[in-house]
Amino acid sequence: MLDLAFIREHPDLIKDVARRRNTAVDVDALLAIDADLRATRRSAEDLRAEQNRVNKAIREAGKDKAAREQAIARGRELAAELKELEPRERELDAQLHDLLLYVPNIPDASVPEGAGEDDNVEIKRVGEPRAFAFEPLDHVALMRGANMLDLERGVRVAGSRSYILKGDAVLLELALLQFAMNRVTARGFTALSVPAMAKEFCFIGNSQFPRGRDQTYALPEDELFLVGTAEVAITGMHSGEILREQDLPVKYVAWSPCFRREAGTYGKDTKGIMRVHQFEKVEQYIICRADHEESVQWHEDLLANAEELVQALELPYRVLNICTGDLGDAKVKGYDIECWIPSENRYRETHSDSYFHDYQARRADLRYRGVDGTVRYVHTLNNTALASVRTIIALVENHQQADGTIRVPDALRPYLGGRDTLGAPWR
RNA sequence: GGAGGGAUGGCAGAGUGGUCGAUUGCGGCGGUCUUGAAAACCGCUAGGCGAGAGCCUCGUGGGUUCGAAUCCCACUCCCUCCGCCA
């Protein structure tokens, strides 16, 4: 959410931003409602001010019965007028708030212009895609052969885009999660295990709602929703608080299951487990002071943390600077890390590193008191540390061996009981 | 699932229809004193809208009333007991 005063002063900028971001928002309607609300509120405030004066007069009238009766009569008139005005004031306020949720954030000047994902700009490439001395398999063939994946029965249990990991794949998943948790906590992040379901306000605060509502699983009986990322729960957990500047930055690394409906993606990534409804993720999250330079610094640091993990797993990857047309509404700027997937002969997204300035903080009402006493909205940032299935795909495909087994990168071996190979030879 | 109690500022905790946006304590900030610190003492210290006058906020939303932290209704959350249960 942007500051309403800023929108009032820069309507053309907002319209331009919405166009560049491919997002629809009716700025004129918003400003019309705002003007109407302010006029209505002004009238109501005048009435309330007089009401307060009349109430004081009633108190002070004491035994002067005539003055008291007269003031009460005026009070009755004011109450009647307010009864007309107040429902309208509430209605306009609600409408304004709803529209405000659709106004996107302002991208940083360093965000490339572009219509969609094809216009994202590659900013670095690390590691060489491996030259295989044998015909490499895709993750489905590989994991099936090694008895690590059962797609059919996963679908039987939970429908399309569901899967069952088996055998060494389960150990691999747990190892990866713990590997990520250990590496990031070693950098001073506090480990969290957060609820995988959350109330609506958390999703609004984080900006998943209202626009992404159809991508979220709902539990209507309980007015809860399944989170698509731990980010939702973390944004919600401090909602309404005023933190102390001395306690910033707050750095979390949270593990959670992630649930995604993937509505509207029917033809996409139908093979294997590239796009699934449920996976595990370790997420980095930072709450810091309202300072652009500091946000930028943490954004880079979060990227570096993620790169370090990917490098330790010996996966070739590249980093993209996400263009205006592909950047989520709430983000000021975002980098994606894409890991090399041999069977697709291309890089695929495994991490998403973003900063938001105070956009999420305003929605979630998350502020801090500076050492000088002033209260401001915090800045928030987050980046994936490790997402289970996509990392599993990249790892098994990149580290497959001629006999169908998977080589375990050195950094991961301590989390797999020292094993250097997963699966038994089968090719 | 059943019964009862509760929700007030950063925290604790008064306040049961008008002078209460709110007693007090703790914490925090500033000062006096001190070589420095502690202690003691003094002062300041909720948030939001508004250029300002002023307006709003005592869990949330309605209602009663000239007037609501206070009364009524609904909801949410927390606590205690019972039941069920990983």
Side-chain angles (χ1 to χ4, degrees):
Chain A
M1 191 153 71
L2 293 178
D3 181 8
L4 180 56
F6 181 86
I7 299 173
R8 265 180 217 138
E9 285 158 26
H10 306 91
D12 293 333
L13 172 65
I14 306 295
K15 288 178 193 173
D16 186 51
V17 162
R19 181 187 56 73
R20 287 157 57 206
R21 304 188 77 136
N22 275 328
T23 192
V25 58
D26 194 340
V27 179
D28 293 326
L30 188 149
L31 291 177
I33 289 168
D34 177 48
D36 197 353
L37 173 62
R38 290 209 286 171
T40 305
R41 179 159 288 160
R42 173 70 190 247
S43 307
E45 281 186 6
D46 286 346
L47 290 173
R48 281 192 281 260
E50 188 181 348
Q51 194 172 49
N52 288 339
R53 287 194 297 272
V54 167
N55 290 339
K56 190 158 186 252
I58 293 170
R59 283 199 306 268
E60 287 169 353
K63 295 197 171 60
D64 184 347
K65 222 169 175 189
R68 192 179 154 85
E69 287 304 318
Q70 194 185 357
I72 287 177
R74 179 59 187 152
R76 266 193 256 271
E77 288 171 23
L78 291 168
E81 285 181 61
L82 271 169
K83 209 162 183 169
E84 299 285 310
L85 221 46
E86 282 177 333
R88 174 152 181 77
E89 187 186 357
R90 280 196 294 270
E91 171 62 20
L92 287 168
D93 192 49
Q95 284 179 16
L96 180 68
H97 188 75
D98 286 349
L99 277 174
L100 225 36
L101 292 179
Y102 285 93
V103 178
N105 207 343
I106 315 290
D108 189 71
S110 62
V111 172
E113 291 298 321
E117 58 180 318
D118 294 339
D119 298 316
N120 294 336
V121 174
E122 182 179 303
I123 57 174
K124 72 164 31 163
R125 201 178 271 228
V126 177
E128 278 293 311
R130 176 174 157 205
F132 286 92
F134 55 92
E135 188 59 36
L137 300 176
D138 67 41
H139 73 275
V140 178
L142 205 47
M143 292 177 77
R144 277 195 173 130
N147 202 25
M148 290 166 74
L149 178 66
D150 187 339
L151 282 170
E152 292 73 16
R153 293 194 180 92
V155 170
R156 180 187 291 163
V157 171
S160 68
R161 297 202 190 284
S162 299
Y163 59 98
I164 292 171
L165 296 182
K166 287 172 72 179
D168 281 350
V170 180
L171 302 183
L172 173 59
E173 178 176 54
L174 292 172
L176 284 168
L177 296 168
Q178 215 176 337
F179 158 78
M181 275 310 232
N182 280 338
R183 290 265 178 157
V184 182
T185 52
R187 295 185 171 278
F189 287 63
T190 302
L192 296 177
S193 170
V194 297
M197 43 197 187
K199 297 184 185 189
E200 186 182 42
F201 81 87
C202 299
F203 291 81
I204 291 173
N206 208 51
S207 283
Q208 260 70 26
F209 289 3
R211 263 204 175 95
R213 205 171 177 116
D214 62 345
Q215 296 298 340
T216 303
Y217 288 102
L219 305 169
E221 291 284 292
D222 300 290
E223 295 184 30
L224 290 167
F225 302 83
L226 298 182
V227 303
T229 163
E231 190 194 330
V232 175
I234 300 172
T235 302
M237 73 186 261
H238 288 295
S239 179
E241 294 187 26
I242 299 176
L243 305 172
R244 304 190 313 160
E245 181 170 0
Q246 304 92 292
D247 297 331
L248 301 180
V250 174
K251 300 190 283 180
Y252 290 129
V253 56
W255 161 79
S256 84
C258 302
F259 301 92
R260 302 190 178 182
R261 287 190 70 226
E262 297 293 347
T265 63
Y266 298 112
K268 231 177 179 178
D269 299 315
T270 50
K271 183 168 181 157
I273 54 174
M274 180 59 76
R275 190 174 297 277
V276 292
H277 288 309
Q278 179 181 348
F279 58 96
E280 305 288 311
K281 184 159 60 64
V282 174
E283 180 79 4
Q284 310 175 74
Y285 195 109
I286 289 180
I287 300 169
C288 72
R289 297 183 304 141
D291 179 83
H292 171 70
E293 300 305 322
E294 191 172 335
S295 266
V296 168
Q297 184 57 54
W298 286 121
H299 188 227
E300 300 295 329
D301 284 3
L302 288 177
L303 177 66
N305 285 353
E307 285 191 62
E308 194 233 60
L309 296 181
V310 176
Q311 285 170 20
L313 295 174
E314 301 171 37
L315 301 172
Y317 67 94
R318 63 174 186 166
V319 179
L320 299 180
N321 186 2
I322 304 304
C323 75
T324 51
D326 197 30
L327 195 64
D329 279 348
K331 303 180 182 184
V332 174
K333 184 176 179 178
Y335 295 133
D336 278 1
I337 292 179
E338 296 187 336
C339 285
W340 178 254
I341 305 295
S343 66
E344 296 193 31
N345 200 38
R346 60 172 171 148
Y347 293 93
R348 295 300 305 268
E349 178 188 338
T350 53
H351 298 69
S352 188
D353 179 27
S354 316
Y355 69 91
F356 302 84
H357 280 170
D358 59 8
Y359 190 90
Q360 289 183 323
R362 283 179 188 279
R363 292 166 84 108
D365 188 25
L366 175 47
R367 294 171 293 175
Y368 72 102
R369 190 184 310 280
V371 288
D372 63 354
T374 60
V375 174
R376 293 191 189 82
Y377 289 102
V378 299
H379 280 192
T380 58
L381 307 91
N382 61 74
N383 186 13
T384 317
L386 190 144
S388 62
V389 289
R390 288 200 177 174
T391 304
I392 290 173
I393 294 171
L395 195 137
V396 301
E397 289 203 12
N398 281 289
H399 298 327
Q400 62 181 296
Q401 305 182 104
D403 62 2
T405 60
I406 315 295
R407 181 179 67 83
V408 178
D410 288 344
L412 202 55
R413 289 181 190 173
Y415 303 95
L416 284 163
R419 290 173 63 186
D420 57 9
T421 307
L422 295 178
W426 61 276
R427 283 182 84 180

